[in-house]
Amino acid sequence: MALISESITSPANPLIKTLRALDRKKTRQETNLFLAEGARLVRQGLEKAWHIDTLIMAKTSLERDHVRALADQAQSAGARLVNVPDRLLSQITRKDNPGAVLASFRQQDKAPEHLSKSGPAIWLGLYKIRDPGNLGTILRTADCAGLAGIVLIETCCDPYSVEAVRASMGAIFDTDFATASFEAFNTWRHCEGLPLIGASLAGTARPDEIAFQDRAVILMGNEQAGLPGEIEAACDTLCRIPMRAGADSLNLAQATALMSYEAWRQQGYPGAAR
Ligand code: SAM
């Protein structure tokens, strides 16, 4: 198929203004789009069949084989193809060296029921977490540790923010996630028969003392406040990762990795690459 890309050179062009504004939650909500920067990320989104809206390419990169291949794939998926001077790519990404391509993809909004799956599986609940860097790192960990999905409970930071997408290193396209109130999340996990294992400084059991069984949800708390008392009370078990006496707490993303890997270890690392 012949590749047809429009040329845009003005920062005042409406498309460029919208893409640039995708670093704001309000614009992401209004457009239902988010940005993926770099060929690797864009390829991952296309391979996972996420809906691509626009592919932006640096004019200077149009003859490169990998950019042409990506443009071909994006065009087949129905994307608008646009080429711009490097300075416009820098303006959209606010980076000095922005890479050759970026794309806007359509967001997916799921309820917890869409994360249900049969067989052995561990899910993650994140309660009111605030830091997009943590969220992106947790998405990446969840992908590596083969988690079944993540539920963002109550108001959390936006997984589609530029910072979360960057930190996820592409796991935004691979890890299933949903948003829910605590009530809806708790109803879902009861319906699925999933024990709720809260990670908390108030826990008494160590992760290796807990039987995660084949199926469970691990619940992690907010970076500052942790899990409130009433949410801890709804957990079946509270688990505390050992720390040196006097230490404050682990970083949320690191605590999540330790909990997730203990659960996966107990299952015998199903699905792990050899
Ligand atoms: N001051 C907060 C508190 O009292 O919970 C610390 C919050 S901590 C930075 C963020 C989350 O990471 C916690 O809610 C918990 O889920 C998890 N976490 C951090 N350190 C932990 C530990 N040693 N054991 C279990 N969970 C931990």
Side-chain angles (χ1 to χ4, degrees):
M1 200 190 318
L3 291 174
I4 304 158
S5 72
E6 333 160 26
S7 253
I8 295 180
T9 54
S10 167
N13 178 282
L15 174 69
I16 302 301
K17 284 167 98 172
T18 302
L19 293 176
R20 189 172 152 75
L22 285 177
D23 71 334
R24 293 204 303 259
K25 187 165 186 185
K26 185 167 173 283
T27 310
R28 292 196 296 276
Q29 280 173 336
E30 284 166 1
T31 59
N32 204 29
L33 297 173
F34 68 102
L35 275 189
E37 300 166 350
R40 188 173 150 271
L41 224 66
V42 174
R43 194 174 308 111
Q44 268 174 288
L46 285 167
E47 278 165 7
K48 295 290 165 175
W50 280 57
H51 181 98
I52 184 167
D53 188 73
T54 305
L55 178 74
I56 305 278
M57 300 164 284
K59 202 178 238 45
T60 49
S61 71
L62 290 178
E63 295 310 317
R64 290 191 207 155
D65 287 347
H66 79 281
V67 174
R68 290 186 68 81
L70 209 53
D72 202 21
Q73 219 181 332
Q75 184 170 267
S76 305
R80 177 177 176 186
L81 304 187
V82 174
N83 67 76
V84 299
D86 288 8
R87 73 182 151 77
L88 279 197
L89 268 177
S90 289
Q91 282 179 18
I92 296 167
T93 59
R94 294 170 171 80
K95 280 179 169 174
D96 289 340
N97 297 305
V101 295
L102 62 82
S104 58
F105 282 89
R106 194 177 293 163
Q107 300 179 23
Q108 296 183 5
D109 195 14
K110 292 181 183 165
E113 301 77 62
H114 291 105
L115 303 184
S116 299
K117 70 180 245 190
S118 54
I122 302 290
W123 288 261
L124 207 56
L126 302 176
Y127 186 82
K128 292 191 177 180
I129 77 157
R130 289 282 182 265
D131 183 326
N134 273 340
L135 179 51
T137 306
I138 291 171
L139 285 163
R140 189 175 174 184
T141 301
D143 184 30
C144 290
L147 298 190
I150 296 178
V151 185
L152 299 167
I153 302 166
E154 303 293 347
T155 305
C156 287
C157 53
D158 184 2
Y160 295 113
S161 68
V162 170
E163 199 183 345
V165 173
R166 274 181 196 157
S168 83
M169 295 293 287
I172 186 88
F173 295 120
D174 289 302
T175 307
D176 278 340
F177 57 89
T179 50
S181 63
F182 182 75
E183 199 185 339
F185 160 77
N186 208 27
T187 303
W188 164 74
R189 70 102 185 170
H190 274 300
C191 290
E192 292 288 318
L194 302 171
L196 186 58
I197 299 171
S200 164
L201 303 184
T204 46
R206 291 194 319 251
D208 58 300
E209 291 170 341
I210 290 171
F212 284 85
Q213 316 277 3
D214 274 355
R215 293 163 63 78
V217 193
I218 299 168
L219 183 63
M220 307 299 300
N222 168 275
E223 290 90 340
Q224 270 80 45
L227 293 171
E230 71 275 16
I231 302 293
E232 288 190 345
C235 294
D236 297 296
T237 312
L238 284 184
C239 172
R240 186 178 201 277
I241 303 163
M243 294 187 298
R244 184 187 60 76
D248 182 68
S249 65
L250 285 150
N251 160 275
L252 166 65
Q254 290 171 339
T256 307
L258 290 168
M259 294 290 293
S260 305
Y261 268 85
E262 175 57 22
W264 200 30
R265 184 193 70 78
Q266 287 187 21
Q267 292 182 336
Y269 302 117
R274 286 271 160 203

